[in-house]
Amino acid sequence: MRGRLLALLIAIELPIGCVTVLTAATAYRTIMGDIEASQVQTTDDFAVRMRVWYRGALRSLLSFGATVSEAALPPELCGQAGLKMLDRARGFSAVLVRSADGRLCSAALDPGIDAQVLERTAASMRASPPVAPWKGVDLGAARYGQASIGDRRYLAVHAQNPAATGQDMQEALLLVAPAVLESVLDLGRGSKGMDIALVAPDGGIVANRGDTPPEAWLPRESRPPAELDRWHAADREGTERTYAARTIAEPGFYVIATFNDPHERDALIQLAVFLLAPLATLSLLCLVYLRAIDRHCVRWLRSIETAARSRSSSKRARAAMADDMPSDIRSVAEAFNAMVDEQEVRQRRLQTALDDNRFLVRELHHRVKNSLQVVQSYIGLSKRDYQDEARTALADAECRVHVLSAAYRFTLADGEMQPVRVDLFLEDVVSMIANLIRRRDQWISSRIETAATLSVDRIIPLGFLVADVASRVLRSTPGARITLSVVDLDEATIEVALEADREVAHQEPPRLFAGLLAQIEAVQSGPAEGRSLGRWRVRHHG
């Protein structure tokens, strides 16, 4: 019963558990997808801001270069114009403009930066490949990077027009303080756990914002992103991190960000709660139901089962009754106890009837045995009045009556009907044959080596068989000596044999003889010939 109820609960819980798992997994994938999309979008936003800033700086450089080239100002006036431009555009530190006709215009707010330094910086920028143009207006060959001058670091914007002629601007360089770009990388609110950096084509860090130094959180294996990319990798300290990157300009000029977003952990915890809470609730309900079933049903059913099984050893076993039993099970227990009471009443009546029957049967057999003894005594007394053949016939009749009387005496020896031992019974039969039938010159003896028993219905015809064979030989053969032998052939078979001390004239047995063999369930194992009077095998069970 409990197994079926458990199977039913499992059948109910399994679909619910599957739906719960599917719902939790779907919600987790949706949340993680939103988090991933938000991270990529954040990186893309910073990349767009960088592109706008660099494009703005490049436009400013191109505008200033075109202005001073067209004005054809001398170096002194051009330098003063450059200083005014740098002073008004906060964060711009130095500028260099070269015309196609060789005129050079330079200005710098930092006294440590002169025209020669700007020339070397421009030359190093020319050595790097130009960035691929972005969508929109092509502003010519441009390069972005950084320059270290003395102990200070600057952002470098370089523009070049190899096809310029005359007074047209051929090359321009703008140096910007890094603080300006770092203000563009302002993370704003919700920046906890996020670090971002702008990486130059040479792998150097142009600008970065965040709580962790870029030397610690950048990926161990640096690689330019494929336009817009997101991946998981180990940082330079071996910690697994999530990275997102967006290309600003080819080749290798990109924004990279890392996220240690607590929302991912929250999503994982939410998945565990969504997944485990319903399953734990269902499991708890299953345990509660099983406990309730065991306490209110199975326990009482087991008590009824125990009482039923105890009936074989304890006749007074009853099903337990209690006030807290469920009404249905209490009704079953009451019906069981009523059935047991009725069964005991019937058993007592049957036992009384059986005892009465046994007494009657025992008395009947006693009466039969006493009657046979009376008949035997009457035949014995009548035999005295006759001689020769009549006397011999009466002796045969007395012997057969004695067989019946002896069989009942042995089977009722302990007051109850029981199997008769073959050895004791045949010894008694042989003794009676010797007393009643044999003459003075004749003898009959026995050699019985068995402890087998037969029922009274089979032992009587066996006695008749022995008496019939011995009687016919003793009447026809003067001086004959007969030996009766009984031996065990195996645990369930005995062999009965009669043998004379001389050859005798064998006669055809009467028709009654075949009936005796059928009652004994005997099989003849040896014919009556020569000295052998016959051999028979008899099966028994004890």
Side-chain angles (χ1 to χ4, degrees):
M1 176 180 177
R2 184 168 56 180
R4 293 183 179 181
L5 292 174
L6 180 60
L8 178 61
L9 290 175
I10 292 176
I12 296 174
E13 288 185 7
L14 190 60
I16 298 176
C18 293
V19 172
T20 300
V21 171
L22 182 61
T23 303
T26 303
Y28 178 73
R29 286 197 299 268
T30 302
I31 294 173
M32 290 304 297
D34 293 342
I35 293 174
E36 293 174 4
S38 175
Q39 293 173 352
V40 172
Q41 184 63 43
T42 300
T43 305
D44 192 39
D45 291 343
F46 280 112
V48 171
R49 289 161 65 179
M50 291 297 99
R51 287 183 176 182
V52 171
W53 186 88
Y54 271 102
R55 186 179 287 271
L58 179 61
R59 287 181 182 274
S60 298
L61 178 61
L62 293 176
S63 297
F64 177 75
T67 300
V68 297
S69 295
E70 290 294 332
L73 296 175
E76 295 79 8
L77 295 177
C78 183
Q80 293 176 3
L83 289 175
K84 290 181 180 180
M85 187 271 295
L86 295 176
D87 183 61
R88 291 178 180 177
R90 294 183 180 180
F92 288 5
S93 300
V95 63
L96 171 69
V97 177
R98 183 192 304 278
S99 301
D101 56 5
R103 287 182 295 107
L104 186 65
C105 177
S106 64
L109 297 178
D110 188 349
I113 301 176
D114 55 13
Q116 288 77 17
V117 172
L118 293 175
E119 282 280 2
R120 289 196 299 270
T121 303
S124 64
M125 293 292 292
R126 285 195 302 272
S128 61
V131 299
W134 298 328
K135 295 179 182 180
V137 180
D138 185 4
L139 299 180
R143 298 172 178 85
Y144 307 120
Q146 60 180 339
S148 297
I149 300 175
D151 57 351
R152 300 190 67 181
R153 183 171 59 86
Y154 297 93
L155 307 180
V157 179
H158 182 268
Q160 187 178 15
N161 183 14
T165 59
Q167 297 180 357
D168 295 338
M169 184 195 74
Q170 186 180 35
E171 182 180 20
L173 173 67
L174 176 64
L175 299 182
V176 184
V180 177
L181 192 57
E182 290 179 356
S183 64
V184 178
L185 287 175
D186 183 17
L187 302 182
R189 296 181 180 179
S191 63
K192 184 178 180 180
M194 180 175 68
D195 297 280
I196 190 166
L198 178 63
V199 182
D202 59 358
I205 303 301
V206 177
N208 69 279
R209 293 298 293 270
D211 298 330
T212 308
E215 295 79 8
W217 64 261
L218 285 174
R220 182 177 298 173
E221 298 180 0
S222 299
R223 62 179 180 85
E227 186 62 22
L228 183 60
D229 205 357
R230 183 181 183 276
W231 72 99
H232 296 277
D235 62 16
R236 294 177 181 179
E237 294 182 350
T239 305
E240 192 74 14
R241 286 178 176 269
T242 300
Y243 293 97
R246 177 62 188 258
T247 302
I248 295 177
E250 297 289 349
F253 194 58
Y254 60 92
V255 171
I256 185 170
T258 183
F259 303 90
N260 187 18
D261 198 341
H263 295 299
E264 295 185 10
R265 292 191 299 271
D266 296 342
L268 187 60
I269 294 174
Q270 185 177 5
L271 171 66
V273 172
F274 283 167
L275 183 62
L276 297 179
L279 296 180
T281 302
L282 291 174
S283 300
L284 181 60
L285 288 176
C286 180
L287 292 176
V288 171
Y289 284 145
L290 289 178
R291 176 64 178 170
I293 290 169
D294 187 71
R295 181 177 180 181
H296 298 292
C297 296
V298 176
R299 179 165 65 100
W300 301 113
L301 293 177
R302 283 179 178 172
S303 67
I304 298 175
E305 179 187 7
T306 302
R309 295 183 182 277
S310 301
R311 291 286 301 161
S312 59
S313 58
S314 176
K315 301 302 182 181
R316 303 188 62 82
R318 296 291 187 277
M321 302 290 291
D323 296 335
D324 58 341
M325 289 179 67
S327 58
D328 294 340
I329 299 179
R330 184 183 182 89
S331 177
V332 173
E334 291 175 349
F336 174 81
N337 291 338
M339 180 188 67
V340 170
D341 293 338
E342 294 176 359
Q343 182 183 13
E344 289 183 352
V345 171
R346 290 195 301 269
Q347 285 180 346
R348 285 195 296 269
R349 292 176 180 174
L350 290 174
Q351 186 64 41
T352 302
L354 182 60
D355 293 339
D356 294 341
N357 289 338
R358 286 178 179 174
F359 176 76
L360 293 175
V361 170
R362 187 164 56 250
E363 287 298 319
L364 177 61
H365 282 289
H366 277 299
R367 296 293 183 268
V368 171
K369 182 184 68 172
N370 294 337
S371 298
L372 290 174
Q373 289 177 349
V374 170
V375 172
Q376 182 182 356
S377 299
Y378 180 76
I379 293 174
L381 292 174
S382 300
K383 185 176 60 174
R384 298 175 183 178
D385 298 333
Y386 297 92
Q387 297 295 329
D388 300 331
E389 290 298 330
R391 184 182 181 89
T392 302
L394 288 173
D396 285 345
E398 184 181 2
C399 183
R400 284 163 173 74
V401 172
H402 176 78
V403 169
L404 291 170
S405 178
Y408 280 103
R409 185 174 72 250
F410 282 114
T411 194
L412 295 171
D414 295 329
E416 296 288 340
M417 294 288 291
Q418 59 187 358
V420 180
R421 285 184 54 177
V422 174
D423 54 348
L424 298 179
F425 175 74
L426 291 182
E427 289 285 358
D428 188 271
V429 172
V430 169
S431 177
M432 182 57 63
I433 293 172
N435 291 332
L436 297 177
I437 299 177
R438 77 176 179 87
R439 298 170 185 160
R440 292 182 181 274
D441 59 345
Q442 294 174 332
W443 191 254
I444 182 170
S445 61
S446 61
R447 187 176 68 253
I448 303 175
E449 300 174 355
T450 182
T453 60
L454 291 174
S455 65
V456 68
D457 296 334
R458 297 178 67 194
I459 202 71
I460 290 175
L462 179 60
F464 285 163
L465 181 145
V466 173
D468 181 80
V469 174
S471 175
R472 283 190 281 112
V473 173
L474 292 175
R475 287 200 309 268
S476 62
T477 309
R481 290 178 175 270
I482 300 174
T483 302
L484 170 67
S485 64
V486 182
V487 295
D488 288 320
L489 295 182
D490 54 42
E491 294 181 354
T493 307
I494 61 174
E495 186 176 61
V496 181
L498 287 166
E499 187 175 357
D501 63 343
R502 65 192 68 183
E503 292 188 2
V504 298
H506 296 282
Q507 302 175 3
E508 186 70 20
R511 293 181 179 179
L512 183 61
F513 196 80
L516 295 176
L517 293 179
Q519 291 182 17
I520 305 171
E521 300 177 8
V523 177
Q524 188 169 5
S525 58
E529 57 183 6
R531 296 169 55 187
S532 176
L533 307 181
R535 292 177 179 273
W536 302 272
R537 292 182 180 179
V538 182
R539 301 282 294 179
H540 64 89
H541 302 287

